Amino acid sequence: MVRSADPAVRRKVAEHPKTRPELLYFLAADAAAEVRRAIATNAGTPRQADLMLAKDREVMVRSAVAQKIARLMPELSANQAAQIEKLTVECLETLARDQATEVRGILAEALKDLPNAPHGVINTLARDVELSVCSPVLLNSPILTDEDLADIIMKGPVSGAMSAIASRRNVSAAVADAIARSDDEAAVTALLGNASAQVREDTLDRILDRAPQHEPWHAPLVRRPRLPARAVARLASFVADGLLKVLQNREDLDPAAARELAEAVRQRVGKAASGGGPVDFGGDPVGGPAAGSDKPTERPSDRAARLFKEGKLTESVLEGSMVEGDRAFVLAGLSELSQIPVAIVDRIIGTHAPRAVTALCWRAGLTMRFARQAQLRLAQIPPKTALNARDGTHYPMSDDEMRWQLEFFGVEAKA
């Protein structure tokens, strides 16, 4: 059968789970790409054949090897991972350097959060020149050390990669400081919006020195947990009125911070009054809601669901919340409008991929103008790489391409 002139017969042998390893190795050099791809997907294929196929001329064959090898990694025990065959690691290293972005992307997505992935392979993927490859690893991989991340930041990664680092869980103080010293506005915005990031007070001061010229930093700064009193006073001197109201309504400010805020507001009102214009910050008095207030707090998801049901979940509502930095509500609103689970919406935004974020907004029935703002503000995509409207107002991709973008995340087409 393996010597049959019919590729379909040879492929049947290549696919069979009980085919002997020596026959699978023989078929790894078959002239038909469909046969070699079947060998690449067969779990019984010997590693020598996998290594050969990892260098195959056809992208679909190399992609199949990447998917199979990566699927094997989670099944290995810690002891097995420590003794992993040299050929398996060599296969992964070969695939991590593949010329096809698709192959490297498959590998990155499969290995991004595995605790036993080879460090060298993860490091190679983390330094990839394509954001779609390096971003999942930079955002999730527990293999990357602070030294790895600091080195990547110092060497200037691909645009958008630093935002992925800034969005990692429990960013260390040293890494946060390296991000704050960069000129990457989007990365600093992501860092400030990351509640688990460890930002030292001197690092925060450095950010505040530049913050008046960086409007996207204002909302996450105002909502940053455990704000020092000095930082509160500095913020009150330059943020917009709407964000000042948010700052005033915070209930977690210590007495010293509340006093600093009250004084800053008085000075700001005094300056405005001397200029002849009244200032109305609205809302509750400085220090939070009135004592004894039992006004219930509506969760972002509940508010989005209610407004959607009432027909009031409009683009302007979402845009206003996005400007104010209310990320949770915007994600919930996009979930309601697109009928995509909020966890997948969050994952799409977290890729920092312009095409994926644009396709999400299209699915939600929003304009390309909103999609552009979502790329910049919500996904922290640099302006140079964000997608622009076609002819000023139209989406730049075809409907089929946008459906394909969403299918990559397991989203089915609307009925």
Side-chain angles (χ1 to χ4, degrees):
M1 291 177 73
V2 299
R3 295 184 183 280
S4 170
D6 186 354
V9 174
R10 304 198 304 274
R11 187 183 65 201
K12 187 177 294 186
V13 179
E15 292 172 339
H16 201 283
K18 294 186 178 180
T19 299
R20 297 199 307 273
E22 58 268 30
L23 293 180
L24 293 172
Y25 184 78
F26 178 82
L27 287 173
D30 197 275
E34 61 191 274
V35 176
R36 301 198 306 276
R37 185 179 185 280
I39 294 294
T41 60
N42 195 322
T45 299
R47 285 291 173 269
Q48 292 90 338
D50 282 333
L51 181 57
M52 184 192 309
L53 294 170
K55 302 172 184 177
D56 196 275
R57 62 182 178 275
E58 296 290 340
V59 172
M60 70 173 183
V61 175
R62 304 198 304 273
S63 296
V65 177
Q67 289 174 324
K68 180 180 69 177
I69 299 275
R71 276 200 304 268
L72 293 175
M73 294 297 297
E75 299 173 5
L76 297 174
S77 66
N79 185 52
Q80 287 173 317
Q83 301 174 4
I84 190 169
E85 298 175 46
K86 181 183 177 183
L87 284 175
T88 302
V89 175
E90 193 173 345
C91 276
L92 291 170
E93 289 174 343
T94 299
L95 294 165
R97 296 189 298 271
D98 197 281
Q99 63 181 4
T101 302
E102 175 188 344
V103 174
R104 305 196 308 276
I106 289 171
L107 198 64
E109 192 62 33
L111 301 181
K112 65 182 181 182
D113 51 10
L114 296 187
N116 58 349
H119 181 267
V121 174
I122 291 296
N123 233 319
T124 298
L125 294 170
R127 299 166 190 270
D128 200 276
V129 296
E130 292 289 340
L131 184 62
S132 60
V133 177
C134 67
S135 180
V137 174
L138 291 172
L139 180 62
N140 299 287
S141 180
I143 301 296
L144 293 171
T145 65
D146 282 356
E147 290 73 23
D148 293 330
L149 296 170
D151 186 60
I152 291 170
I153 292 170
M154 182 183 69
K155 291 180 177 176
V158 63
S159 180
M162 208 180 302
S163 293
I165 297 174
S167 301
R168 288 172 63 91
R169 287 185 61 82
N170 302 315
V171 175
S172 72
V175 173
D177 191 63
I179 294 170
R181 291 177 183 277
S182 74
D183 292 325
D184 194 324
E185 182 183 71
V188 176
T189 304
L191 177 70
L192 293 171
N194 184 353
S196 69
Q198 302 169 38
V199 181
R200 291 190 292 251
E201 192 164 344
D202 58 337
T203 302
L204 192 61
D205 284 340
R206 187 176 299 110
I207 293 173
L208 284 166
D209 288 341
R210 300 158 56 201
Q213 290 77 45
H214 295 273
E215 187 271 338
W217 297 355
H218 297 183
L221 272 169
V222 164
R223 292 179 170 84
R224 184 81 199 155
R226 298 179 296 280
L227 275 176
R230 184 172 56 182
V232 170
R234 294 184 68 182
L235 280 170
S237 68
F238 62 78
V239 297
D241 293 353
L243 289 175
L244 184 60
K245 177 184 175 183
V246 173
L247 196 59
Q248 289 177 281
N249 288 342
R250 284 186 58 154
E251 298 180 350
D252 63 337
L253 298 180
D254 60 42
R259 286 194 297 272
E260 291 278 4
L261 176 57
E263 178 58 30
V265 170
R266 275 194 290 272
Q267 291 180 7
R268 182 163 166 170
V269 171
K271 288 180 181 178
S274 65
V279 177
D280 177 17
F281 296 129
D284 301 307
V286 172
S293 171
D294 58 355
K295 182 180 179 181
T297 302
E298 191 175 23
R299 293 187 307 173
S301 57
D302 293 338
R303 180 183 168 216
R306 174 178 59 78
L307 290 175
F308 179 71
K309 187 176 180 180
E310 295 172 355
K312 297 178 180 177
L313 189 59
T314 63
E315 181 169 311
S316 60
V317 168
L318 285 182
E319 189 169 15
S321 297
M322 190 160 57
V323 170
E324 290 186 1
D326 193 348
R327 186 176 188 275
F329 173 72
V330 177
L331 292 183
L334 287 171
S335 174
E336 291 288 343
L337 291 173
S338 65
Q339 295 300 289
I340 297 174
V342 71
I344 296 180
V345 170
D346 193 18
R347 184 180 164 206
I348 292 172
I349 297 298
T351 63
H352 310 287
R355 291 180 177 275
V357 175
T358 299
L360 170 65
C361 296
W362 167 79
R363 168 75 175 235
L366 301 165
T367 65
M368 183 57 202
R369 177 182 172 279
F370 181 92
R372 169 80 179 176
Q373 291 302 310
Q375 292 176 75
L376 300 176
R377 293 179 179 274
L378 197 60
Q380 284 96 47
I381 295 169
K384 290 182 180 178
T385 56
L387 291 184
N388 292 312
R390 176 172 53 84
D391 299 330
T393 56
H394 299 100
Y395 275 87
M397 296 182 287
S398 68
D399 290 0
D400 285 343
E401 186 177 356
M402 287 190 279
R403 289 190 193 97
W404 182 88
Q405 289 287 335
L406 296 173
E407 285 172 4
F408 183 78
F409 296 90
V411 177
E412 296 181 357
K414 284 185 176 181

